[in-house]
Amino acid sequence: MKKFLVQINAYQYHAKFEVLAEDNVESIENSIVDKLGQKDIKWDYLGEMMDPRVKRITYEEVIDGTRPVQTEKVLGVEVATGV
């Protein structure tokens, strides 16, 4: 099971939440539907700036890395400490 970040923009509202699913489309879709059925998602009103005819659902895998971001291996340069 992997953790996915889901963002929904529809009807001038936005929701962002995480779901646990297997790495296939059907499992992700079922997890999203289950989460929507729980009715505990906070919907934010976006206002008139968003076109109400555009409907989007996006998702991405959430990776909980243990490696610090600012390391020589990641940045490719030596990271100085202190002043």
Side-chain angles (χ1 to χ4, degrees):
M1 298 291 269
K2 293 184 178 181
K3 191 184 302 185
F4 292 90
L5 177 66
V6 179
Q7 297 186 51
I8 300 174
N9 293 296
Y11 304 106
Q12 301 173 346
Y13 286 89
H14 176 263
K16 184 175 182 179
F17 54 91
E18 292 181 353
V19 296
L20 287 173
E22 295 175 9
D23 196 7
N24 62 57
V25 176
E26 186 175 338
S27 178
I28 294 170
E29 288 176 355
N30 289 337
S31 294
I32 292 171
V33 170
D34 290 343
K35 187 73 170 183
L36 291 171
Q38 293 174 3
K39 298 185 180 184
D40 61 349
I41 298 170
K42 182 179 181 288
W43 291 91
D44 296 320
Y45 182 67
L46 298 175
E48 296 298 323
M49 68 179 196
M50 299 296 290
D51 186 352
R53 295 170 291 180
V54 177
K55 298 160 192 65
R56 296 182 191 96
I57 296 178
T58 64
Y59 59 86
E60 59 190 59
E61 182 179 351
V62 176
I63 300 173
D64 297 322
T66 57
R67 185 175 69 177
V69 175
Q70 294 183 342
T71 62
E72 182 177 353
K73 185 175 182 180
V74 174
L75 297 176
V77 295
E78 184 177 345
V79 180
T81 59
V83 179

